[in-house]
Amino acid sequence: MPYHRADTSAQADKLSGIVEESDLYEGFAPHVETSEIKTLDFYNLPKQTGKEPALRSFTEIQQLLQQGKKHIVKNILRENSWPINSPIRSQLWPQLCAQHLTKSNVLDGFYWEMVHQVFGTTELSEKPIMLPAFVDATHCLPYHLTGTGRSVADRIVNVLGYDCPDITYSPVLYPITSLLLHFMSEEEAYLCLAGLVGSKEKTFINQTKLQHEVTWKTVMQIAKKHAKSAVAYFQRICPGQKLERVFMDWCWWILAGLPFQHLVRIMDCYFHEGIKVLYRVALVILNLFHKECQSNNEWSPDNIKNDIGNALIKFCKKIPVSPAKLLHAAFSIRGLSTQYISRIFIKTEMLLKSRSVLNSGSKQLIKSRSSDNLPTSQSQVNIQMMSHTLTIRELFTLWSWLPVRITMYQPVLLYTTEEHGCSLTTFYVRVEQHEPTLLMIKTCNNEVFGAYCSSRWFERNVKDDKGQRQAYFGTGETFLFSLYPERAKYPWVGIEGDRDLGHSSELFMAADSKMITIGGGEGQAIWMDENIRFGKTDSCKTFNNPPLCPSGDFEIRVLEVYGFVGI
């Protein structure tokens, strides 16, 4: 059913849960109170002068996405300031989010079947809907949704929680739902969220308390380098732990503080590039606020030192730059690469987990700071029945060392010499397409050690620009570990600082038809022969590890490789 000017307000209060509209009046869905949006202004900012270039159409962007030209699309999204009520977003946002959708076989009507399954009807209830536990009740931001729009948002979040039980803490999910509903139907908004939540290549929405904590601490670490003066200023006027309290609310500077026009333009880029867009915007906000503190008495130290967090949000509400200038400043920050952010994130994650889960000098397992993502009881039973290398205690120890996002999935045994024989050929057939994998070795002397391998073993076949196979592959998430007789984890040396460590410290994984190697540089941390019978272990530069067994040479009793269901 198309939207019409004459009956838009009536539709806003009578939106049937099962009606799906396609056209948007003035770019907004009928469950939006458009009069509120029209009254917003840019706080008397000067108008841009000169001839503006023609804005790109949705068809142009769609063609570029179909051609795989994502870099060109990224630049277009950054530079094209479509009006706040432009109809383009009703098509653009669903298309951008669809890129990340992993369930490519989602059938038409899937969402409404889920609604019926959860609520028993597709009619929108007049009674309040109880929200899932992962929602932060203090930040259920509706923006300009009508009462009906809020009920629709409540329903979407409930269905998503039912379909994605691994989500245990996600305060930004509700605000993102509200934003999507400003420009599209209920079903389209759900599919967009499914794409963002399920994305494997990029991070959009944190889904556990540990992920949330790692993220704000990552923002704080990045700010110490890229908004150094601002952070130093806040530390002077607000010493101690209060600075951490400020960064815990970093996402609300953007989602709860910025004017709607700014927020919508940020979302244009966010739905394509991921959370790194928000990182950049947060840094600009810090720098702008610091600048204002130097010249505006409203933000003097005496006025803000007792509550910098709220002062930042109030500043954002009347931010003195246009959406275009805000984004231009955000994307002009140098040295803030995806690789750099990933390195800080991994380092922060590892520090949190190692601090909260296991004391390596003790045999006693300490309860994890986040018990959200432990292997299920059935997985524990399966491991006990299948594994010749892992006890339940060792499984939990190993689980505490995994990247947070991986703990959301359950382990599955892909290959074991006990069942599949001792052959590298069979190993590759059963394992090479899985990412990541856990490789476990038990020696004839009963030592147990191994590696978390971040990339597919198939990458041994990938060729470079010159047509040659790459010797080493993998990423800095790869790590070594020992479980018996000692318990220890050996992460990549690159997470310990930002310095350039050179090629010899980035030799993660290597393989061919004759051998497998993990770790390199003045030695190989793990090397195995083609018959998966003999191996050796040395210290290496990549992980700065000791030999994983005392003798250095070992005979393999059992090799097991685990993957993760659903990745």
Side-chain angles (χ1 to χ4, degrees), residues 463-469:
K463 297 179 179 179
D464 60 21
D465 296 337
K466 298 179 180 178
Q468 299 177 337
R469 288 187 180 183

Side-chain angles (χ1 to χ4, degrees), residues 256-290:
L258 290 177
F260 192 67
Q261 290 94 333
H262 293 68
L263 190 51
V264 168
R265 279 292 292 121
I266 291 167
M267 291 296 110
D268 290 342
C269 303
Y270 164 83
F271 290 136
H272 186 59
E273 299 183 56
I275 199 170
K276 70 176 185 179
V277 173
L278 305 187
Y279 288 170
R280 287 179 170 274
V281 171
L283 294 178
V284 175
I285 289 171
L286 281 174
N287 287 326
L288 287 173
F289 184 52
H290 178 230

Side-chain angles (χ1 to χ4, degrees), residues 3-17:
Y3 303 166
H4 297 290
R5 178 182 296 269
D7 57 7
T8 298
S9 60
Q11 287 179 347
D13 294 324
K14 296 180 180 180
L15 176 65
S16 168

Side-chain angles (χ1 to χ4, degrees), residues 125-367:
S125 173
E126 295 181 359
K127 297 180 180 179
I129 298 173
M130 182 176 293
L131 294 171
F134 61 73
V135 171
D136 181 349
T138 60
H139 288 108
C140 289
L141 305 174
Y143 301 107
H144 305 293
L145 294 180
T146 62
T148 299
R150 296 182 190 192
S151 296
V152 169
D154 293 350
R155 181 158 70 175
I156 290 174
V157 169
N158 265 280
V159 172
L160 190 71
Y162 187 86
D163 191 35
C164 304
D166 291 326
I167 302 175
T168 55
Y169 185 71
S170 188
V172 305
L173 202 150
Y174 194 101
I176 298 296
T177 303
S178 297
L179 288 166
L180 289 167
L181 283 172
H182 280 66
F183 297 98
M184 63 189 72
S185 69
E186 180 174 353
E187 183 175 22
E188 287 174 320
Y190 176 83
L191 292 175
C192 286
L193 284 170
L196 301 178
V197 166
S199 174
K200 297 293 189 294
E201 291 185 7
K202 298 174 182 176
T203 301
F204 291 89
I205 296 174
N206 291 326
Q207 297 167 47
T208 68
K209 282 188 176 180
L210 188 52
Q211 285 180 341
H212 180 76
E213 184 175 359
V214 172
T215 299
W216 71 254
K217 289 192 172 181
T218 297
V219 173
M220 186 168 68
Q221 291 302 316
I222 293 171
K224 287 179 179 178
K225 179 177 180 180
H226 292 275
K228 191 181 298 183
S229 297
V231 172
Y233 176 76
F234 297 143
Q235 285 177 321
R236 283 200 306 273
I237 67 172
C238 176
Q241 294 297 315
K242 291 183 180 179
L243 185 63
E244 289 201 349
R245 179 70 236 176
V246 171
F247 278 95
M248 288 175 70
D249 290 334
W250 77 280
C251 60
W252 306 121
W253 309 342
I254 301 168
L255 293 172
L258 290 177
F260 192 67
Q261 290 94 333
H262 293 68
L263 190 51
V264 168
R265 279 292 292 121
I266 291 167
M267 291 296 110
D268 290 342
C269 303
Y270 164 83
F271 290 136
H272 186 59
E273 299 183 56
I275 199 170
K276 70 176 185 179
V277 173
L278 305 187
Y279 288 170
R280 287 179 170 274
V281 171
L283 294 178
V284 175
I285 289 171
L286 281 174
N287 287 326
L288 287 173
F289 184 52
H290 178 230
K291 184 179 178 180
E292 284 289 302
C293 289
Q294 310 302 305
S295 58
N296 189 333
N297 286 334
E298 182 181 356
W299 313 113
S300 67
D302 289 339
N303 289 335
I304 69 172
K305 65 181 180 181
N306 294 325
D307 198 351
I308 294 180
N310 270 332
L312 269 162
I313 291 180
K314 289 177 183 177
F315 168 77
C316 288
K317 289 182 182 296
K318 44 186 175 181
I319 195 162
V321 295
S322 67
K325 286 187 176 180
L326 179 68
L327 284 178
H328 178 75
F331 294 121
S332 297
I333 299 172
R334 295 178 177 270
L336 194 58
S337 66
T338 301
Q339 291 79 7
Y340 167 74
I341 293 173
S342 177
R343 181 183 298 175
I344 300 297
F345 190 94
I346 293 169
K347 178 180 179 181
T348 305
E349 177 184 88
M350 288 179 174
L351 288 173
L352 278 177
K353 298 205 88 178
S354 62
R355 188 182 302 159
S356 61
V357 180
L358 190 69
N359 181 346
S360 59
S362 169
K363 296 288 184 181
Q364 184 179 5
L365 188 66
I366 299 172
K367 186 177 179 181

